[in-house]
Amino acid sequence: MLTKRPRGTNDFLPEDTGKWQYVEALLRELCHEFGYEEIRTPIFEETELFLRGVGDTTDIVQKEMYTFEDAGGRSVTLRPENTASAVRAYVENKLAARPQPTKLYYIGPMFRYERPQAGRFRQFHQFGVECFGAASPAADAEIIALAWEFYQRLGLKGLELNINSVGCPECRPAYRQALQDFLRPNLDKLCDSCRERFEKNPLRILDCKNPECQRYLAGAPTTLDALCDDCRKHFAAVCRYLDAINIPYKINTRLVRGLDYYTNTAFEILLDDIGAQSAVCGGGRYNRLVEELGGKPTPGVGFALGMERVFNALAAQQIELPAERGVDVFVAALDNGAAAEAFRLATELRRRGIAAAQDVMGRSLKAQFKYADKFAAAYTLIVGGEELSRGTVQLRDMAAGEQREIPLAEAVAYLAAKFA
Ligand code: HAM
């Protein structure tokens, strides 16, 4: 259908994009405050990057990627997330040679072939940050603080930060074994996907939503029980940093996240108000990923948050964002004879940095006034008639409802002083 957008995608209309711009500006401001700089990577990458980066046992790689062959016969994939691309860019552009850590952020569309539902789309948008080169738990706490601060500044309430440690390649094999040993007697009672996960990625069974599986998980060993000394210290320190800045958190030993690259810290921020897709933000540490994608061993930590879910949350909590600014001036032409002068004047105003709207439909003066309402202009300039021959215009202050005749140059200077 030519007039129907693809399933799971959205059109954002001007009444939406104003809000997006406000939220994006807030995120950019926060990144500036926290010392994160923007990176923009391609929307598509070679498929291999995500197979290796995201992990071939994940739902994303197994079921959700938009993969196709381009005209040159290469397999490419629309990015399902931006961490793998950020790592690729970090290695390819030798960012490790710059003073470390490298602190990057991104905002943009991601693509996953998921079953669309409230808060879950096939093209969705993420804001995310990635910090490369810092192994310290302070880096984990810093990115969590950034995410938390964002939601606070929007005024959202009822957020729950869940945090866990999924260990490292030293301590995870023993935990994996312990979990498999615990589940094995009931293996045939687990759901199909958990039975599949049992060999390849048993940790994912921990966050299966199926109530039956949850029942057989009762009393299962946790990753926290199995952490090695270094991982235990790291996790305790992250919690201490969060305590120090009064960010409340819940240690959730079932939190493992759906991507393969995590080591140590894994976290999510949840908000019940927005329905089943309650994760507004997710992230964690990935100390092996840079190396796995061909770089030198480099620690990394990051998160991404779903932009659409921010707007769902704002709507659910009836939070209004500050109104958009209207234009400064509407320039109306009294009649057709004054159209060219009105056009010239509107252009002059814009050249001076004043937002000036005008009619481009040849409307009558009355219809122009009606049209002007749409712009919520603070002033209207009426050009034409005898005023034109006197070198003056009518300047109308819309809020006060007052109108006066004023020399053209004075009107421009007055408006420039006010708005430019
Ligand atoms: P993720 O948990 O897959 O992590 O996605 C992060 C956030 O993106 C989710 O919490 C959710 O808000 C949003 N999101 C994910 N899928 C959808 C969807 N289909 N529709 C709408 N929103 C969605 C990552 O992507 C990791 N790259 C995060 C990360 C960065 N970890 C370390 N660095």
Side-chain angles (χ1 to χ4, degrees):
M1 279 277 269
L2 279 181
T3 54
K4 209 164 169 9
R5 60 177 182 265
R7 202 162 123 76
T9 65
N10 289 297
D11 294 316
F12 298 107
L13 302 179
E15 56 269 32
D16 308 313
T17 49
K19 294 182 189 152
W20 279 71
Q21 286 169 17
Y22 175 87
V23 171
E24 286 166 7
L26 172 59
L27 287 165
R28 289 180 197 282
E29 168 58 27
L30 269 170
C31 284
H32 173 68
E33 290 172 23
F34 278 78
Y36 281 77
E37 295 174 304
E38 186 174 9
I39 183 164
R40 299 188 190 192
T41 60
I43 301 264
F44 65 90
E45 298 271 1
E46 284 186 15
T47 300
E48 188 66 22
L49 175 68
F50 301 117
L51 298 183
R52 301 252 305 271
V54 174
D56 49 17
T57 67
T58 59
D59 286 351
I60 294 181
V61 165
Q62 287 189 349
K63 307 181 212 158
E64 298 171 0
M65 296 213 300
Y66 279 91
T67 298
F68 57 96
E69 220 174 73
D70 70 9
R74 294 171 207 89
S75 178
V76 294
T77 294
L78 300 185
R79 61 182 185 194
E81 58 105 59
N82 216 347
T83 308
S85 311
V87 172
R88 191 227 4 97
Y90 176 80
V91 176
E92 182 172 349
N93 298 289
K94 303 190 172 49
L95 299 185
R98 301 182 184 185
Q100 296 296 290
T102 297
K103 293 166 55 164
L104 305 171
Y105 79 88
Y106 47 81
I107 309 183
M110 309 293 154
F111 306 85
R112 296 183 193 176
Y113 188 80
E114 295 197 80
R115 199 167 46 75
Q117 62 179 82
R120 193 206 269 160
F121 306 98
R122 290 181 174 169
Q123 175 173 335
F124 60 100
H125 297 75
Q126 282 186 343
F127 161 82
V129 305
E130 312 293 348
C131 172
F132 296 105
S136 158
D140 310 39
E142 184 182 78
I143 61 156
I144 295 174
L146 195 162
W148 193 256
E149 182 64 20
F150 166 63
Y151 297 115
Q152 300 311 304
R153 287 203 197 171
L154 284 177
L156 287 168
K157 302 262 180 307
L159 295 155
E160 189 183 273
L161 167 62
N162 280 214
I163 180 165
N164 192 19
S165 173
V166 295
C168 70
E170 301 299 313
C171 51
R172 200 176 306 156
Y175 174 69
R176 224 181 110 101
Q177 187 65 53
L179 184 64
Q180 282 174 326
D181 291 347
F182 177 87
L183 290 170
R184 193 168 286 110
N186 294 312
L187 182 57
D188 55 335
K189 300 181 191 94
L190 301 181
C191 73
D192 289 352
S193 4
C194 283
R195 280 208 306 277
E196 251 174 61
R197 287 168 180 156
F198 185 79
E199 286 302 336
K200 285 194 192 139
N201 196 354
L203 268 70
R204 284 306 313 277
I205 300 177
L206 289 173
D207 71 355
C208 178
K209 302 289 176 283
N210 186 314
E212 269 295 281
C213 298
Q214 282 299 326
R215 207 155 68 83
Y216 291 109
L217 278 166
T222 69
T223 49
L224 292 187
D225 298 332
L227 295 183
C228 62
D229 241 27
D230 284 352
C231 288
R232 199 190 326 277
K233 282 188 193 141
H234 186 94
F235 187 62
V238 174
C239 295
R240 269 203 309 281
Y241 278 115
L242 294 176
D243 292 336
I245 53 173
N246 287 324
I247 293 184
Y249 54 88
K250 178 176 141 189
I251 295 178
N252 176 355
T253 55
R254 293 282 163 84
L255 176 69
V256 286
R257 310 256 315 120
L259 301 102
D260 277 357
Y261 46 63
Y262 293 108
T263 55
N264 298 91
T265 314
F267 71 93
E268 272 178 0
I269 300 178
L270 307 174
L271 187 61
D272 279 346
D273 295 16
I274 58 169
Q277 300 304 312
S278 61
V280 291
C281 170
R285 187 163 269 289
Y286 47 87
N287 287 347
R288 287 304 197 82
L289 187 57
V290 177
E291 197 179 343
E292 271 162 23
L293 294 179
K296 294 210 182 79
T298 308
V301 64
F303 73 78
L305 61 84
M307 295 290 286
E308 285 80 357
R309 293 185 191 178
V310 172
F311 296 102
N312 285 352
L314 290 170
Q317 299 193 7
Q318 291 164 357
I319 295 173
E320 293 283 339
L321 298 177
E324 270 178 81
R325 180 164 91 103
V327 301
D328 305 325
V329 189
F330 186 85
V331 184
L334 192 62
D335 49 35
N336 230 352
E341 175 56 12
F343 193 95
R344 190 203 62 75
L345 183 56
T347 307
E348 181 181 348
L349 293 170
R350 293 178 191 133
R351 284 182 180 151
R352 288 170 174 255
I354 301 163
Q358 63 179 0
D359 170 54
V360 290
M361 302 272 288
R363 288 181 168 93
S364 71
L365 187 63
K366 200 168 149 220
Q368 285 181 65
F369 284 152
K370 195 157 170 249
Y371 175 57
D373 285 346
K374 170 181 149 74
F375 297 101
Y379 289 88
T380 299
L381 279 176
I382 304 154
V383 182
E386 284 178 12
E387 285 89 338
L388 196 55
S389 48
R390 284 201 290 269
T392 62
V393 286
Q394 293 286 341
L395 175 68
R396 189 175 173 82
D397 178 332
M398 302 306 278
E402 283 160 12
Q403 188 169 316
R404 62 189 158 116
E405 186 175 342
I406 173 173
L408 192 65
E410 241 174 76
V412 172
Y414 177 79
L415 293 168
K418 264 199 136 49
F419 300 114

